[in-house]
Amino acid sequence: GENVEQHPSTLSVQEGDSAVIKCTYSDSASNYFPWYKQELGKRPQLIIDIRSNVGEKKDQRIAVTLNKTAKHFSLHITETQPEDSAVYFCAAILSNAGGTSYGKLTFGQGTILTVHP
Amino acid sequence: DTEVTQTPKHLVMGMTNKKSLKCEQHMGHRAMYWYKQKAKKPPELMFVYSYEKLSINESVPSRFSPECPNSSLLNLHLHALQPEDSALYLCASSQVHTAANIQYFGAGTRLSVL
């Protein structure tokens, strides 16, 4: 099965700085990589995703990069704000030999991001 | 509307009780999921329903019994739970289960087993 490793487990930055979270995955057949943000006591919310046919995707202050050869993907947050403080989970979805997806999300262990004002 | 609604928000039950968790979505999604999340851990998949049929059971103990009465509703029936089953139970839905697509999560039911 798929295995996703996420680093760092905690990240503390000053407001305005950039934050980078990295994930590696084990199964080269994985083809979809979402990032979820979960604030304390709330639901995981998708913030950005990337498919295996794309190397980079950006949405305002958030970007994700994917290196299929090295099997790793990263989340980049620029100009961080206190409201960015949350737990961030990367995930991967495994695809079978036919190219369809089981829809089974395998999550990384999470990164607790704290943005200090 | 990307809303997945879960009830109740909180549930306390004894080990001999029977209770049910409910999940509802009106986005026309045909795949629905149950996840279990312990504190400071990622969600762990329990069950997947695709077109109202059970598609994946991640070796979940039989004291958890899922049910999908129709395409909008998903239930999780609980019986004879253990204290270690205390967790946040999340429901999610996506358009279909056979393609990489966005899973939308509900706010969860926080379950405490005494």
Side-chain angles (χ1 to χ4, degrees), chain A residues 31-32 36 38 41-46 49 51 89 93 100-105 107-110 112, chain B residues 3-4 33 35 37 40-43 45 56 58 88 90 97-103 105-107 110:
Chain A
N31 64 351
Y32 175 62
Y36 284 87
Q38 188 174 25
K42 300 211 172 163
R43 72 189 75 197
Q45 287 201 302
L46 180 81
D49 57 6
R51 298 178 194 277
F89 292 103
I93 283 189
T100 58
S101 169
Y102 293 120
K104 177 182 173 181
L105 278 173
F107 286 90
Q109 289 301 303
I112 302 171
Chain B
E3 192 76 12
V4 177
Y33 311 78
Y35 288 85
Q37 187 177 27
K40 300 183 181 180
K41 295 290 185 183
L45 183 67
I56 293 178
E58 289 286 293
L88 180 67
L90 294 162
H97 181 231
T98 55
N101 50 77
I102 299 170
Q103 291 189 22
F105 284 84
R110 190 161 298 281

Side-chain angles (χ1 to χ4, degrees), chain B residues 69-90:
Chain B
N70 60 55
S71 61
S72 299
L73 292 174
L74 186 67
N75 298 322
L76 186 63
H77 303 297
L78 314 173
H79 174 54
L81 294 193
Q82 304 297 309
E84 59 265 29
D85 296 323
S86 298
L88 180 67
Y89 287 85
L90 294 162

